[in-house]
């Protein structure tokens, strides 16, 4: 499959300790959420094609920035491009985006917070290295979360830290409580279910929706696969996805289907033509075949098929 926008995954404070996907599917963090593509928007890096910069950044007044998780979403949207662009280029592009969205004084406040945010992220790497090793996932997650919260005091005021990180912390604390419940061997199955149900009941609706989103998508794609087996075409599949998600999301998934089908077709053509080459064929001829079907980046993935 061709590369899609992997930057829509959200990583919470526990991700480095627990691993992607442990907390009921797609984890959450101060990272971007999906938005409809703007056809006039030029993607900052190729992996962001089909998205637009996230974070509903606002100003409280003409001279005052609203400091909340949306600002961190915007920062992390661009920081997800590390590896495709250097950090300084990302910092400059975030500054441009802030200038586009905000008036001068709030934009300047946001840029100061961006500098603090980057310094905090760099310091967090060293802080994590100093954490004691543990095989207890819940203990490791709690150590990391507490270290993050301590470190923030060196870079942000209490109000700034509350605005930027409280939503992510609420998610992480809930995930941590679930880890600890599941790891407690003294609990019976009934007690464990009861405590998990109590956590579910306390979840704010937004967190509940985010937690359930991966399962919803999996169920949807199972329904799509079944519909295809029954002979339904692309229009019917679009209607199923549109009803479950949105017309924009259904259109994006349809684009992914087209990319996957094209990739599978080109792999099949390549393998068939490769088999027709005589043993001991000049490597240059094989490379010419690859170049005729795949881009240089796509060729990095061919080893899995050869």
């Amino acid at each position: 499959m061709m590369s899609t926008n992997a930057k829509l995954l959200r990583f919470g404070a526990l991700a480095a300790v627990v691993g992607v996907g442990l907390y009921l599917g797609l984890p959450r963090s101060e990272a971007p959420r999906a938005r409809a593509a703007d056809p006039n928007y030029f993607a900052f890096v190729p992996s962001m094609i089909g998205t637009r910069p996230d974070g509903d950044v606002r100003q409280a007044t003409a001279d005052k920035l609203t400091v909340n998780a949306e600002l961190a979403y915007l920062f992390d949207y661009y920081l997800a491009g590390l590896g495709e662009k250097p950090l300084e280029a990302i910092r400059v592009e975030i500054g441009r985006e802030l200038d586009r969205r905000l008036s001068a004084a709030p934009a300047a406040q946001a840029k100061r917070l961006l500098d603090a945010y980057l310094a905090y992220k760099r310091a967090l790497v060293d802080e994590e290295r100093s954490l004691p090793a543990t095989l207890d996932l819940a203990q490791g997650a709690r150590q990391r979360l507490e270290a993050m919260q301590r470190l923030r005091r060196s870079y942000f005021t209490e109000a700034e830290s509350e605005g930027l990180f409280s939503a992510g912390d609420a998610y992480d604390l809930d995930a941590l409580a679930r880890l600890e419940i599941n790891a407690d061997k003294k609990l019976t199955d009934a007690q464990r279910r009861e405590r998990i149900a109590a956590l579910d009941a306390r979840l704010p609706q937004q967190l509940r929706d985010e937690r359930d989103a991966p399962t919803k998508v999996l169920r949807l794609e199972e329904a799509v696969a079944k519909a295809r087996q029954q002979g339904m075409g692309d229009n019917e599949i679009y209607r199923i996805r549109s009803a479950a998600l949105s017309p924009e999301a259904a259109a994006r998934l349809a684009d992914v289907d087209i990319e996957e089908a094209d990739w599978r077709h080109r792999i099949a053509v390549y393998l068939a033509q490769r088999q027709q080459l005589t043993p001991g064929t000049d490597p240059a001829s094989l490379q010419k075949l690859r170049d005729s079907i795949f881009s240089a980046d796509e060729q990095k993935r061919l080893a899995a098929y050869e």
Side-chain angles (χ1 to χ4, degrees), residues 4-306:
T4 56
N5 185 21
K7 308 308 182 290
L8 302 180
L9 296 180
R10 302 180 182 182
F11 296 92
L14 307 182
V17 177
V18 180
V20 178
L22 178 60
Y23 184 43
L24 301 177
L26 293 178
R28 183 213 187 277
S29 80
E30 305 98 15
R33 291 165 295 174
R35 289 198 178 186
D38 182 341
N40 297 318
Y41 182 74
F42 176 76
F44 181 57
V45 294
S47 63
M48 293 176 182
I49 292 172
T51 69
R52 58 181 298 173
D54 198 61
D56 188 16
V57 179
R58 297 176 181 241
Q59 52 195 64
T61 66
D63 297 322
K64 185 177 181 182
L65 176 71
T66 298
V67 180
N68 57 22
E70 298 293 333
L71 192 60
Y73 294 157
L74 176 65
F75 295 164
D76 281 342
Y77 176 93
Y78 282 103
L79 289 172
L82 275 172
E84 296 176 87
K85 292 276 188 176
L87 180 59
E88 181 57 25
I90 291 174
R91 189 189 67 77
V92 170
E93 187 63 21
I94 295 174
R96 292 194 186 106
E97 185 67 21
L98 292 171
D99 287 335
R100 283 192 285 266
R101 299 197 192 192
L102 303 168
S103 54
Q109 296 168 32
K111 291 174 187 177
R112 178 186 61 78
L113 284 174
L114 171 61
D115 290 340
Y117 192 77
L118 294 175
Y120 161 69
K121 290 289 189 179
R122 286 191 291 266
L124 185 59
V125 174
D126 293 331
E127 185 73 17
E128 289 175 340
R129 288 173 180 159
S130 68
L131 293 176
T134 176
L135 296 177
D136 187 323
L137 286 178
Q139 182 183 10
R142 184 171 291 282
Q143 287 174 348
R144 183 174 191 267
L145 181 57
E146 291 174 351
M148 292 174 68
Q149 291 172 333
R150 286 194 305 270
L151 191 62
R152 291 171 195 161
R153 300 179 193 131
S154 300
Y155 297 92
F156 307 99
T157 67
E158 184 175 347
E160 290 168 348
S161 186
E162 172 72 14
L164 288 169
F165 303 110
S166 61
D169 283 355
Y171 185 96
D172 289 333
L173 287 169
D174 179 77
L176 180 56
R178 294 170 192 273
L179 274 176
E180 291 174 336
I181 290 170
N182 287 321
D184 191 344
K185 297 180 180 179
K186 294 181 293 184
L187 296 176
T188 66
D189 289 343
Q191 290 171 326
R192 189 171 288 110
R193 287 193 298 270
E194 182 180 350
R195 295 192 184 189
I196 291 294
L199 288 177
D200 289 341
R202 292 200 298 268
L203 272 181
Q205 187 61 47
Q206 181 178 351
L207 253 116
R208 187 178 295 112
D209 291 343
E210 290 179 350
R211 186 200 64 177
D212 294 341
T215 304
K216 179 180 179 181
V217 172
L218 288 174
R219 287 198 301 265
L220 171 61
E221 289 310 296
E222 288 173 357
V224 166
K226 185 175 181 180
R228 290 195 188 281
Q229 291 174 357
Q230 294 172 348
M232 291 189 183
D234 291 340
N235 289 336
E236 289 81 3
I237 297 303
Y238 173 83
R239 284 194 287 271
I240 291 172
R241 285 169 166 165
S242 182
L245 300 174
S246 69
E248 295 80 11
R252 290 196 296 272
L253 288 171
D255 289 341
V256 172
D257 288 345
I258 293 171
E259 292 176 353
E260 289 180 339
D262 175 68
W263 174 255
R264 289 194 300 268
H265 171 72
R266 287 187 291 133
I267 285 291
V269 169
Y270 168 71
L271 293 177
Q273 294 186 18
R274 189 173 185 269
Q275 287 180 343
Q276 294 174 9
L277 296 177
T278 59
T281 296
D282 181 5
S285 298
L286 180 57
Q287 186 58 47
K288 184 177 180 180
L289 172 62
R290 290 170 176 154
D291 291 339
S292 69
I293 301 176
F294 304 104
S295 69
D297 285 339
E298 289 172 338
Q299 289 180 38
K300 297 175 183 177
R301 300 156 53 201
L302 287 181
Y305 299 88
E306 294 179 319

